[in-house]
């Protein structure tokens, strides 16, 4: 019996959510409150109580992993592996299933192809070429982003109304029309179409819509706070006359507006569906009470929220530590020392995480960890010196420093594009091998012999001239190595290439390059910097065993760790200046929700920190502590074991053990000394 085997393991609020059967239900599930357990128990209860057969339940998730987990748990609860839930899956997978059945209504055949990102890029590039669109000024990826935004708002090309002052939208709309027509001609659709086509079919075909509203007796939605307009519209169309829709989520963890998520879907649920039952899951099984008190106090400053009061099933735990450092470098030293001296004895590295607001912040931690031999992994990203734009910059510096560096030459000779194709590269290689000379000299020789195509010759000659100019700057004029890279990036067109491509990815790349320029200032010359990079990238960081986790707070959603470090809580960085500039109060509230997500990843220990100065975008900048720090409740926060007066005095900011301190050497320092001897 479900009552005896499962309901006894639920708290009162969870039990109420599981047993509620008819009418709209909104489950406000706080962090670590067991929402997956409630969803699967609810599905099991509906089937056991014969409220619905498995094929009459629509259960929607955001990831295939979540869908598989729910399927497994339901089967386990019902004590049978045979229980199939044919309508449990992601938004895209379920819509694909529906669209196959009714493809003709969308001018497609049932055997339509779903194009991937590469196919989309190729298609839009071909369209841009045919329409004489300069992809250096308007990148295909950016165009596809605009198209996806329109699809997420439920708009076909003929339904889009644009602001004529917006040059990007004005240029993209005709391309959207051609793109969509091409997809139809190819009997294909992209991921956005899966939901858009399905919604349009349901809106315009009452008979088809009634098939599903009759069949789906109950609808359950996971992570409802992350739904966008078109996803929510699709759900609205499938709800039956009994309004048996149950949505589970946490408005305080809505952090994906940049991906199209609309928090108002969650906040206005009870307005869309009359007589909505709201159940709050407020018992947290993850974190200590002190961690929850800090997170709850911080998020209470947001105006647009449903509200809840999280209570821990664990003990009070340690106070949250708030640390101030002189600089970002000192912050990395302080955190690594805390791990070495105190935490590694109590916790495995796998259960320690450093959560940053922006991915460029990992650089100082990576360099510090590599130096002292602390193992780490980057989750949801690439290690700093392995990022493509960083490797490009390093390749430029290497070939300027040493003309025989063929690997560096090959990487950047056509980056950015200089009309130097694969056939030319092959020609250069063959000539190099034949005459036993480096690729650069081989290129010069082929130009002198007039063996390079005219258009290619222009691009290659220009590149070779730039190399000579940069070497003159470095070796004759003796310009600073940081200034050298700035010149290279400007004069090669690399900076312009990134700046002209308007998308989030390129903004991150520019931030990473600025961080690289900051890193270079720590070295006396180009030679020492290149040596440092070589050593940093050669150290084996892929050994088996446990590793400290580094990731952005966005990537950390849904994860949990015993220990969480939250560095870089400074104005402009967190909350991020761009978010506030673009979205005002809504942007600030989303940044605060991100802080809430970061804090609630911690089970036992949470450390927040900021620095007085940060080397950012090539310059030292005085930092202001984040406004979020002022919102932390003092009763649950330990400020470096200092009183309030001490905390604001500059002379007292030497809180953390410096490596150069003669009286103490950390274990990492000792390992480092052994390695360099």
């Amino acid at each position: 019996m479900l009552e005896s085997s499962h309901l006894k393991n639920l708290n009162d609020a969870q039990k109420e959510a599981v047993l509620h059967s008819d009418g709209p239900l909104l489950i406000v599930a706080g962090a670590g409150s067991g929402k997956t357990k409630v969803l699967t128990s609810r599905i099991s209860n509906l089937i056991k109580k014969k409220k619905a057969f498995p094929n009459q339940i629509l259960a929607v998730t955001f990831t295939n992993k979540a869908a598989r987990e729910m399927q497994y748990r339901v089967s386990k609860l019902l004590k049978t592996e045979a229980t199939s839930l044919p309508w449990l899956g992601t938004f895209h997978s379920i819509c694909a299933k529906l669209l196959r059945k009714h493809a003709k209504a969308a001018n497609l055949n049932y055997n339509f192809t779903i194009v991937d990102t590469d196919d989309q890029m190729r298609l839009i590039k071909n369209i841009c070429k045919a329409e004489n669109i300069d992809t250096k000024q308007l990148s295909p990826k950016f165009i596809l982003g605009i198209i996806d935004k329109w699809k997420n708002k439920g708009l076909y090309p003929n339904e889009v109304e644009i602001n004529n002052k917006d040059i990007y939208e004005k240029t993209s709309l005709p391309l959207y029309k051609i793109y969509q027509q091409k997809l139809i001609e190819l009997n294909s659709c992209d991921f956005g179409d899966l939901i858009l086509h399905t919604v349009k079919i349901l809106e315009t075909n009452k008979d088809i819509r009634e098939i599903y509203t009759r069949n789906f007796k109950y609808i359950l939605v996971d992570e409802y706070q992350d739904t966008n307009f078109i996803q929510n519209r699709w759900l609205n169309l499938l709800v039956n006359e009994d309004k048996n829709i149950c949505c589970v989520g946490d408005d305080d963890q809505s952090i994906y507006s940049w991906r199209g998520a609309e928090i108002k879907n969650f906040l206005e649920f009870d307005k869309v569906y009359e007589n909505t039952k709201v159940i709050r899951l407020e018992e947290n099984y993850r974190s200590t009470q002190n961690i929850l008190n800090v997170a709850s106090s911080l998020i209470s400053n947001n105006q647009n929220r449903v509200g809840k009061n999280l209570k821990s099933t664990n003990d009070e735990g340690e106070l949250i530590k708030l640390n101030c450092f002189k600089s970002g470098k000192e912050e990395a030293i302080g955190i690594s020392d805390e791990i070495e001296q105190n935490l590694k004895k109590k916790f495995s590295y796998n259960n320690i995480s450093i959560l940053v607001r922006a991915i460029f912040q990992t650089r100082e931690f990576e360099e510090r960890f590599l130096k002292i031999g602390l193992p780490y992994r980057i989750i949801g990203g690439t290690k700093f010196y392995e990022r493509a734009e960083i490797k490009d910059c390093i390749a430029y510096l290497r070939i300027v420093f040493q003309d025989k560096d063929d690997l560096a030459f090959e990487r950047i000779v056509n980056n950015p594009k200089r009309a130097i194709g694969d056939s030319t590269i092959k020609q250069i290689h063959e000539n190099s091998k034949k005459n036993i000379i480096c690729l650069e000299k081989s290129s010069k020789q082929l130009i002198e012999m007039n063996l390079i195509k005219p258009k290619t010759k222009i691009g290659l000659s220009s590149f070779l001239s730039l190399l000579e100019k940069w070497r003159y700057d470095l070796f004759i004029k003796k310009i600073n190595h940081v200034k050298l890279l700035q010149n290279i990036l400007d004069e090669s067109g690399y900076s312009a290439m990134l700046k002209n491509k308007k998308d989030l990815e390129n903004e991150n790349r520019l931030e990473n390059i600025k961080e690289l320029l900051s890193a270079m200032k720590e070295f006396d010359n180009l030679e020492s910097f290149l040596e440092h990079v070589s050593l940093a990238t050669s150290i084996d960081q892929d050994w088996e065993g446990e590793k400290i986790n580094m990731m952005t707070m966005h990537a950390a959603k849904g994860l949990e760790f015993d220990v969480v470090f939250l560095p870089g809580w400074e104005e402009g960085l967190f909350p991020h200046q761009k978010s506030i500039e673009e979205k005002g109060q809504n942007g600030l509230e989303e940044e605060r929700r991100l802080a809430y997500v970061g804090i609630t990843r911690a089970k036992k220990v949470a450390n927040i920190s900021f620095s007085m100065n940060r080397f950012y975008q090539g310059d030292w900048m005085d930092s202001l502590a984040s406004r979020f720090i002022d919102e932390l409740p003092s009763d649950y926060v330990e400020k470096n074991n200092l009183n309030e007066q001490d905390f604001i005095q500059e002379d007292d900011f030497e809180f953390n053990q410096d490596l150069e301190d003669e009286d103490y050497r950390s274990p990492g320092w000792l390992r480092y000394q052994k390695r360099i001897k």
Side-chain angles (χ1 to χ4, degrees), residues 63 157 178 258 274 295 313 322 364 389 424 453 534 626 672:
T63 66
I178 301 168
W258 51 275
E274 292 182 6
T313 58
L322 176 61
E364 285 177 314
E389 62 279 6
T424 304
K453 294 176 185 174
S534 298
S626 168
Y672 173 60

Side-chain angles (χ1 to χ4, degrees), residues 481-492:
H481 55 296
V482 180
K483 179 64 178 173
L484 174 68
L485 180 56
Q486 289 172 330
N487 289 351
I488 289 171
L489 291 169
D490 289 340
E491 293 165 8
S492 68

Side-chain angles (χ1 to χ4, degrees), residues 26-39:
L26 183 67
I27 302 174
V28 185
S33 62
K35 66 177 178 64
T36 304
K37 187 177 184 180
V38 167
L39 272 174

